């Protein structure tokens, strides 16, 4: 097979069809940028989770005096009840919980005073206003539901709280943004497939005479179709490279140069993450082109 | 070389078959004229040989292969042993004569040096020596057909199919084309030519297969074109032409200025 000849056909096809090829490049560019943005958002979320989930614990708040929870009918949690709960954690939750410590009311008050040395909003609190709790460090933060199921409803336990819940609104927002980007990407990808299909069809029609002669003199199917395949693939890959480049610039200038300086206590996605996503975009572009070609070519360049 | 065994081809269900139980055997090196009115099945015959279509019933053997049962990916191999020439030449207008002929070799992956050697040879043989750099539009009809023939035989096919190759050409030019086809035939290439040109058929005195409504009605070793209906019906002498002035006079028309 003469590679040079095929390449020549590809470039003459691209030249003849410039406007359509540009359209394909732009549409794949935009659609894959959305795909990449969705991927980077997810990368950002997992980065934040890695960072923050290590800092948070599950708090098992023990019954204070005067609680109305049904498990607190016996008044303030007794030492026996606390021991029973610890026993359960040690036996039933050995896999999920990696560390347990008890925070007494006094310790809670100390921590509170440290954070609010002048009292909280003008009130004067004492250690008795605090609530004792068991602090659990989970080996896997995702296991909260299991822990909560086991411990809730035990005598002396008022409520089991996951400090992760604090981050939920933020993560939910990011997830919604991901969905939005992915949805837009889906629509744009559909447009890209249709456009590539049309481009290949136009190219095939404009070269009908050539393909007719090629068929008659016994050129193989692959040889006839390869230029069209490569044309579509080349345009799509070019679009994906632009998308990768665009994302890289966005992360470089908007995240690394600006966000990281203004809000510096958060771990952000970096150019490395873009480099990790970019190959996937190229693969997607090739898949897109292959899919479109598959639908078109057998109809227009049949032997 | 080409054998049709009880071949029928029906395009649309229920329609009259384009070919009906056709059995023809073309030997290696033969020159065969395929004649018959439009719609008699000549083109279907050729497209079955090329495997552009498959027969509805029967078997078609070309160069020892059962064409009807040939898998799609082996069709190119078959077509490399066939050359085809058409009435409308089908040259690529944006390529020179040389490029047109070279194209047929390029697309089947022939190495460049082989192309460089073969193409001028073939152009020489068809009588286009020195015209390789011309564009098709700069050639006469006969020269264009020669270029098309060059493209068809450049890969040295065993069989040359010609679908009314002289249909667009004047009688003198046609004669040249026929001499060329005859010369190609003498080098051992089997030639099958569909044609309407009775003069050529009568003059060449080669084998003639006549199709009519999809049936072989005649297969003669050294035949002529066959009977043709007179162009005008024979109604006897016209009285008007025989004795002008003796019939009723046409009314005299006068034109006045306005």
């Amino acid at each position: 097979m003469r590679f040079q000849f095929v390449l020549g056909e590809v470039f003459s096809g691209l030249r003849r069809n410039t406007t359509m090829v540009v359209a394909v490049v732009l549409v794949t560019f935009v659609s894959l940028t959305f795909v990449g943005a969705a991927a980077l958002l997810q990368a950002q979320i997992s980065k934040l989770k890695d960072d923050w989930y290590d800092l948070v614990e599950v708090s098992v708040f023990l019954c204070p005096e005067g609680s109305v929870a049904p498990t607190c009918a016996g008044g303030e949690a007794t030492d026996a009840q606390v021991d029973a709960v610890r026993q359960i954690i040690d036996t039933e939750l050995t896999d999920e919980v990696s560390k347990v410590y008890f925070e007494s009311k006094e310790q809670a008050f100390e921590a509170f005073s440290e954070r609010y040395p002048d009292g909280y909003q003008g009130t004067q609190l004492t250690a008795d206003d605090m609530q004792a709790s068991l602090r659990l460090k989970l080996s896997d933060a995702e296991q909260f539901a299991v822990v909560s199921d086991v411990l809730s409803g035990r005598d002396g336990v008022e409520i089991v709280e996951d400090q992760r819940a604090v981050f939920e609104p933020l993560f939910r927002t990011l997830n919604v943004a991901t969905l939005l980007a992915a949805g837009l990407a889906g629509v744009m990808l559909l447009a890209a497939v249709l456009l590539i299909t049309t481009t290949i069809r136009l190219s095939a029609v404009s070269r009908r005479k050539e393909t007719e002669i090629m068929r008659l003199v016994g050129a193989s199917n692959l040889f006839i179709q390869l230029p069209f395949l490569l044309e579509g693939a080349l345009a799509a890959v070019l679009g994906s490279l632009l998308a990768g480049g665009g994302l890289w610039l966005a992360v470089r200038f908007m995240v690394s140069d600006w966000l990281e300086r203004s809000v510096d206590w958060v771990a952000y996605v970096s150019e490395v993450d873009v480099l990790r996503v970019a190959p996937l975009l190229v693969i997607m572009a090739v898949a897109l082109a292959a899919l479109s070609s598959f639908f078109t070519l057998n109809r227009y360049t049949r032997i | 070389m080409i054998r049709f065994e009880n071949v029928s081809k029906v395009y649309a269900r229920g329609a009259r078959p384009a070919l009906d139980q056709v059995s023809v055997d073309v030997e290696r090196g033969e020159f065969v004229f395929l004649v018959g009115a439009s719609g008699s099945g000549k083109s279907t015959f050729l497209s079955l040989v090329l495997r552009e279509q498959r027969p509805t019933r029967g078997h078609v053997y070309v160069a020892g292969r059962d064409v009807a049962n040939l898998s799609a990916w082996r069709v190119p191999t078959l077509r490399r042993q066939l050359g085809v020439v058409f009435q409308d030449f089908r040259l690529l207008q944006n390529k020179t004569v040389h490029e047109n002929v070279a194209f047929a070799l390029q697309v089947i992956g022939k190495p460049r040096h082989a192309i460089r050697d073969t193409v001028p040879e073939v152009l020489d043989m068809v009588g286009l020596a020195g015209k390789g750099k011309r564009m098709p539009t700069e050639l006469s009809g006969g020269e264009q057909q020669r270029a098309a023939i060059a493209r068809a035989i450049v890969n040295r096919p065993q069989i040359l199919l010609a679908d009314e190759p002289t249909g667009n050409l004047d009688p003198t030019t046609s004669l040249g084309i026929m001499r060329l086809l005859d010369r190609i035939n003498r080098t051992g290439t089997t030639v099958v030519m569909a044609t309407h040109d009775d003069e050529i058929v009568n003059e060449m005195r080669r084998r003639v297969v006549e199709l009519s409504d999809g049936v072989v009605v005649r297969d003669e070793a050294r035949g002529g074109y066959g009977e043709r209906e007179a162009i005008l019906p024979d109604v006897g002498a016209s009285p008007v032409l025989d004795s002008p002035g003796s019939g009723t006079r046409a009314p005299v028309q006068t034109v006045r200025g306005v």
Side-chain angles (χ1 to χ4, degrees):
Chain A
M1 180 151 307
R2 308 204 333 140
F3 188 64
Q4 210 177 349
F5 178 78
V6 174
L7 267 191
E9 290 289 295
V10 170
F11 283 111
S12 79
L14 290 178
R15 240 197 339 268
R16 242 184 277 191
N17 251 329
T18 321
T19 40
M20 286 304 281
V21 170
V22 170
V24 169
V25 170
L26 290 180
V27 169
T28 43
F29 165 44
V30 175
S31 56
L32 290 175
T33 304
F34 277 113
V35 172
L40 286 178
L41 271 172
Q42 283 303 308
Q44 179 66 62
I45 289 176
S46 76
K47 225 169 230 205
L48 291 178
K49 282 183 174 174
D50 278 357
D51 243 36
W52 291 350
Y53 279 5
D54 279 348
L55 306 175
V56 299
E57 298 155 333
V58 172
S59 312
V60 181
F61 286 105
L62 301 168
C63 291
E65 230 165 319
S67 167
V68 293
T71 47
C72 299
E76 194 172 359
T78 61
D79 289 347
Q81 283 173 331
V82 174
D83 282 342
V85 172
R86 295 193 86 142
Q87 191 69 36
I88 290 162
I89 292 170
D90 284 344
T91 52
E92 288 179 34
L93 295 171
T94 42
D95 291 340
E96 287 83 7
V97 177
S98 61
K99 217 162 78 192
V100 189
Y101 69 92
F102 177 74
E103 190 182 62
S104 66
K105 290 200 277 192
E106 287 72 23
Q107 283 165 331
F109 184 67
E110 249 169 62
F112 176 83
S113 307
E114 208 169 287
R115 194 175 299 172
Y116 304 104
D118 305 325
Y120 183 68
Q121 296 188 347
T123 53
Q124 282 300 318
L125 297 175
T126 63
D128 274 342
D129 297 316
M130 296 291 129
Q131 190 171 4
S133 63
L134 282 169
R135 297 298 170 107
L136 312 184
K137 188 97 203 156
L138 301 192
S139 43
D140 176 4
E142 306 292 331
Q143 293 293 323
F144 170 73
V146 180
V147 177
S148 166
D149 269 0
V150 172
L151 296 181
S152 300
R154 302 273 170 192
D155 279 342
V157 174
E158 190 187 34
I159 194 165
V160 181
E161 250 186 32
D162 188 3
Q163 291 181 341
R164 281 192 313 160
V166 174
F167 308 130
E168 279 319 303
L170 174 64
F171 289 148
R172 212 172 307 133
T173 313
L174 288 177
N175 272 325
V176 167
T178 306
L179 276 182
L180 216 67
L184 278 174
V187 175
M188 294 299 288
L189 285 177
L190 184 66
V193 168
L194 294 178
L195 247 183
I196 297 175
T197 310
T198 314
T199 308
I200 291 178
R201 191 160 63 204
L202 270 181
S203 193
V205 168
S206 76
R207 264 187 281 168
R208 215 176 22 213
K209 282 187 172 169
E210 273 93 337
T211 40
E212 161 109 5
I213 300 298
M214 284 163 103
R215 285 194 307 114
L216 286 174
V217 299
S220 66
N221 228 348
L222 183 68
F223 201 97
I224 297 176
Q225 298 184 346
L226 202 60
F228 300 106
L229 279 174
L230 289 179
E231 250 168 66
L234 217 65
V237 166
L238 197 62
S240 71
L241 290 179
L242 282 179
L247 287 172
W248 192 86
L249 287 177
V251 168
R252 175 90 179 70
F253 291 110
M254 283 176 57
V255 178
S256 301
D257 278 6
W258 177 68
L259 255 183
E260 220 155 70
R261 276 185 205 158
S262 41
V263 188
D264 59 357
W265 45 270
V266 181
Y268 289 109
V269 286
S270 63
E271 290 94 324
V272 179
D273 295 292
V274 177
L275 291 184
R276 213 168 290 152
V277 170
L280 296 179
L281 297 184
V282 175
I283 290 172
M284 275 191 86
V286 172
L288 274 185
L291 187 76
S292 327
S293 311
F294 178 79
F295 284 126
T296 331
L297 279 180
N298 285 327
R299 280 206 16 224
Y300 291 93
T301 56
R302 208 162 28 89
I303 276 232
Chain B
M1 208 62 197
I2 301 174
R3 193 158 86 240
F4 275 52
E5 280 180 5
N6 299 316
V7 173
S8 298
K9 176 69 190 174
V10 183
Y11 285 109
R13 190 178 291 276
R16 184 181 64 77
L19 286 181
D20 194 1
Q21 296 284 319
V22 169
S23 293
V24 174
D25 204 338
V26 178
E27 298 291 326
R28 179 184 294 272
E30 257 191 302
F31 195 118
V32 181
F33 284 116
L34 211 53
V35 301
S38 296
S40 59
K42 301 190 299 291
S43 299
T44 302
F45 186 98
L46 292 182
S47 70
L48 284 175
V49 175
L50 277 167
R51 200 196 174 277
E52 288 188 304
Q53 327 235 341
R54 290 170 191 251
T56 315
R57 274 182 302 280
H59 291 283
V60 176
Y61 296 95
V62 176
R65 284 169 224 264
D66 184 352
V67 173
N69 294 323
L70 204 63
S71 60
W73 66 274
R74 298 182 75 154
V75 171
T77 334
L78 166 79
R79 296 208 179 131
R80 286 176 200 196
Q81 299 177 18
L82 303 171
V84 208
V85 180
F86 300 94
Q87 181 175 7
D88 54 358
F89 320 137
R90 302 205 188 167
L91 296 172
L92 302 174
Q93 301 298 321
N94 54 349
K95 288 184 182 341
T96 66
V97 170
H98 184 282
E99 285 167 348
N100 262 289
V101 179
F103 185 74
L105 294 177
Q106 282 168 342
V107 298
I108 58 173
K110 284 275 158 54
R112 194 191 311 225
H113 62 87
I115 296 174
R116 205 174 44 220
D117 294 346
T118 340
V119 175
E121 264 172 44
V122 173
L123 286 179
D124 200 24
M125 178 192 171
V126 300
L128 288 178
K131 293 190 174 163
K133 288 211 172 73
R134 302 270 193 95
M135 299 304 279
T137 43
E138 298 166 356
L139 298 178
S140 70
E143 286 170 329
Q144 287 190 48
Q145 190 59 294
R146 281 169 195 271
I149 291 171
R151 181 179 64 192
I153 62 168
V154 70
N155 195 30
R156 311 201 182 291
Q158 303 183 40
I159 301 170
L160 180 63
L161 303 174
D163 195 357
E164 300 190 31
T166 59
N168 270 346
L169 306 173
D170 64 78
T172 323
T173 316
S174 299
L175 205 69
I177 294 294
M178 288 319 295
R179 286 199 184 119
L180 175 57
L181 290 180
D182 182 54
R183 208 161 72 233
I184 291 164
N185 175 237
R186 282 177 204 284
T187 62
T189 310
T190 310
V191 179
V192 178
M193 171 171 161
T195 188
H196 287 299
D197 197 327
D198 52 349
E199 263 179 54
I200 285 173
V201 176
N202 290 335
E203 200 158 315
M204 299 270 292
R205 286 291 149 187
R206 296 301 188 95
R207 181 175 169 192
V208 174
V209 174
E210 183 173 349
L211 287 168
S212 175
D213 290 343
V215 181
V216 177
V217 292
R218 183 161 65 102
D219 189 347
E220 268 182 280
R222 290 181 158 278
Y225 188 84
E227 292 303 309
R228 216 197 244 270
E229 259 180 48
I231 293 172
L232 295 174
D234 190 7
V235 290
S238 153
V240 178
L241 287 175
D242 277 359
S243 45
S246 66
T248 356
R249 279 194 149 190
V252 180
Q253 305 244 344
T254 47
V255 182
R256 279 194 209 107
V258 185

